[in-house]
Amino acid sequence: MAKEKRLLTSESVTEGHPDKLCDQISDGILDEVLRQDTQGRVACETFVTMGLVIIGGEITTEGYVDVHKLVRKIVKDVGYTNPHFGFDYETCAILNAIHAQSPDIAQGVNRGGAGDQGLMVGYAVRETHELMPLAITLAHKLARRLAEVRKKEILKFLGPDGKSQVSVEYRNGRPKRVDSVVIASQHTPEILDKTGQKITKKARRQIIQAVAEPILGKWIDQDTKFYINETGKFVIGGPQSDTGMTGRKVVVDTYGGAVSHGGGAFSGKDPTKVDRSASYMARYIAKNIVAAELAEKCLVQLAYVIGRADPLAVYIDTYGTGKVSEDKLSKLVRKHFALTPRGIIEMLDLLRPIYKKTAAYGHFGRNDEHFSWEKTDKAPLLRRLK
């Protein structure tokens, strides 16, 4: 029988990408509220364009956030410190358009209900150490490496804005190799060739050697294709070249398109919003099911209605890899995992100022002590009860 060959592609972006800059600002504001007031309510969105940052949304808190000071610090930390990059932390204008949360929404949330309707998705698969799809894992690592190489001045010509993309070849459902790699990184004009329209072959080779090869290692071979700054040059980047907005990178934030997405963004939302907290719980459930070796891969979907605490539905799909029935898994999940907004917040300890860290390089598959939804502490229990 011929081996089935398929390609799965995922992308990531650096912390200097305009959309990710917005996510970090929104989550930075959330963190500052939670530091002062764990009962604060935050639904904060950010918009950036050339020379301008606009923050809007609904915040109700007993604390005080110096929005202007916080925004400038985040923009500086990301790396927009040079006017040559077209956006600078010292000179950008900042417009604050935040107001209080609607009392109509608050009355349902205050009694423990969900902050909105919707469906939330979690996923885990046994193809990486992180129990994440390989393509998105590699894409995130490439984007993070781009930022590392820039900040450590290994390649001094790189700018804050950048993107990565990885296409993984699967054979009979298993990842075998990386078929192609795309890297686009903002840079200074010094690496342009004599035409001034594209980077030099030397610079292209340096990016492959310093960024791609250390991350991809065994997954690349002589047939792997590399596409580096394929437009030719990428001098104008960041908010100067493209607007950014909170919540526009929902597939980057989750599973890279390997499975369905619930549709709701995460950044700028406090954990009473099930868009965020229930997505974290769904990942926690799926990861523990796979870690318990009850399935090779698992998708969990939770559905909620505004104002009510218990989920309307719990859906589990193990894609035919389950060691026990999906009906039994659903019953185990309902019994041993907290699924109400208050229960999720308590079980995952979500009223902490941990969210700015999540706003770049993915919310899942991260080995960080603050990412409680990545723990596999329920796996031994699930293994015993199967």
Side-chain angles (χ1 to χ4, degrees):
M1 183 177 68
K3 291 183 178 180
E4 181 189 23
K5 175 181 173 181
R6 302 176 69 188
L7 295 178
L8 175 66
T9 302
S10 295
E11 71 159 346
S12 183
V13 297
T14 66
E15 62 210 58
H17 185 281
D19 293 331
K20 278 292 144 202
L21 179 61
C22 291
D23 286 344
Q24 290 167 93
I25 291 170
S26 294
D27 273 338
I29 290 171
L30 169 61
D31 281 352
E32 191 56 36
V33 169
L34 291 177
R35 281 190 189 96
Q36 303 176 49
D37 178 11
T38 58
Q39 300 306 306
R41 299 284 163 73
V42 180
C44 175
E45 296 187 358
T46 304
F47 170 83
V48 297
T49 187
M50 185 184 298
L52 176 64
V53 181
I54 301 175
I55 304 101
E58 304 171 341
I59 297 180
T60 301
T61 180
E62 297 295 324
Y64 169 73
V65 180
D66 187 335
V67 171
H68 285 244
K69 182 178 179 180
L70 181 64
V71 168
R72 293 195 193 282
K73 183 180 186 305
I74 291 172
V75 174
K76 179 182 179 181
D77 290 346
V78 165
Y80 286 107
T81 58
N82 187 335
H84 289 132
F85 291 133
F87 193 80
D88 180 64
Y89 79 100
E90 291 184 302
T91 60
C92 65
I94 300 170
L95 174 61
N96 184 348
I98 294 170
H99 57 90
Q101 183 185 49
S102 163
D104 294 347
I105 296 175
Q107 67 179 355
V109 176
N110 290 342
R111 61 173 181 257
D116 202 353
Q117 70 178 48
L119 55 119
M120 295 80 208
V121 172
Y123 182 66
V125 60
R126 190 176 297 284
E127 63 183 45
T128 63
H129 172 74
E130 299 88 354
L131 302 185
M132 287 284 287
L134 179 61
I136 188 64
T137 299
L138 293 177
H140 283 321
K141 289 180 178 180
L142 285 173
R144 187 184 287 274
R145 177 64 179 169
L146 264 178
E148 179 185 28
V149 165
R150 169 176 61 88
K151 291 178 177 180
K152 290 183 177 179
E153 296 189 338
I154 296 171
L155 296 179
K156 296 183 179 181
F157 53 78
L158 295 183
D161 196 358
K163 302 177 77 171
S164 64
Q165 184 171 289
V166 178
S167 295
V168 173
E169 180 183 320
Y170 284 73
R171 296 283 180 89
N172 294 332
R174 301 283 184 179
K176 291 300 180 183
R177 58 183 291 274
V178 168
D179 182 75
S180 64
V181 181
V182 180
I183 295 176
S185 181
Q186 186 181 17
H187 59 84
T188 56
E190 67 189 72
I191 62 167
L192 294 175
D193 65 11
K194 292 180 180 180
T195 70
Q197 298 303 309
K198 62 181 180 179
I199 63 173
T200 63
K201 292 181 179 179
K202 177 183 177 181
R204 180 181 183 275
R205 185 168 62 252
Q206 287 176 316
I207 292 172
I208 293 173
Q209 291 175 343
V211 178
E213 290 178 352
I215 296 300
L216 300 175
K218 68 176 184 178
W219 295 106
I220 56 177
D221 56 31
Q222 61 183 7
D223 295 322
T224 299
K225 299 174 285 294
F226 291 91
Y227 301 96
I228 311 298
N229 284 20
E230 281 295 295
T231 62
K233 65 178 182 177
F234 189 1
V235 175
I236 300 174
Q240 183 185 20
S241 66
D242 191 11
T243 60
M245 188 173 291
T246 300
R248 280 209 298 212
K249 287 289 178 284
V250 292
V251 174
V252 170
D253 285 342
T254 53
Y255 306 100
V259 294
S260 302
H261 187 284
F266 303 152
S267 290
K269 298 177 182 177
D270 74 76
T272 67
K273 280 73 172 174
V274 284
D275 276 343
R276 180 169 224 155
S277 55
S279 294
Y280 290 175
M281 178 54 73
R283 162 65 176 172
Y284 181 54
I285 294 167
K287 188 173 183 180
N288 276 273
I289 288 172
V290 173
E293 300 181 349
L294 301 185
E296 287 292 305
K297 52 185 173 180
C298 179
L299 180 142
V300 175
Q301 184 195 90
L302 305 174
Y304 292 85
V305 61
I306 191 168
R308 296 182 64 89
D310 291 317
L312 296 178
V314 177
Y315 171 81
I316 295 178
D317 188 354
T318 60
Y319 304 91
T321 70
K323 302 287 182 65
V324 299
S325 71
E326 284 147 352
D327 180 61
K328 184 172 183 179
L329 286 175
S330 294
K331 290 176 181 177
L332 287 173
V333 166
R334 285 187 176 273
K335 184 175 182 180
H336 296 287
F337 292 86
L339 300 179
T340 66
R342 282 181 179 171
I344 293 170
I345 289 169
E346 182 178 346
M347 180 172 277
L348 298 181
D349 192 16
L350 296 180
L351 293 177
R352 297 169 292 148
I354 59 173
Y355 296 103
K356 182 176 172 290
K357 283 187 176 183
T358 70
Y361 312 117
H363 292 245
F364 307 119
R366 305 272 293 276
N367 184 23
D368 188 300
E369 62 178 345
H370 296 111
F371 287 46
S372 54
W373 50 93
E374 291 297 313
K375 294 179 180 178
T376 54
D377 53 331
K378 291 284 188 181
L381 173 65
L382 295 175
R383 196 177 293 117
R384 288 199 307 271
L385 295 175
K386 69 177 183 179

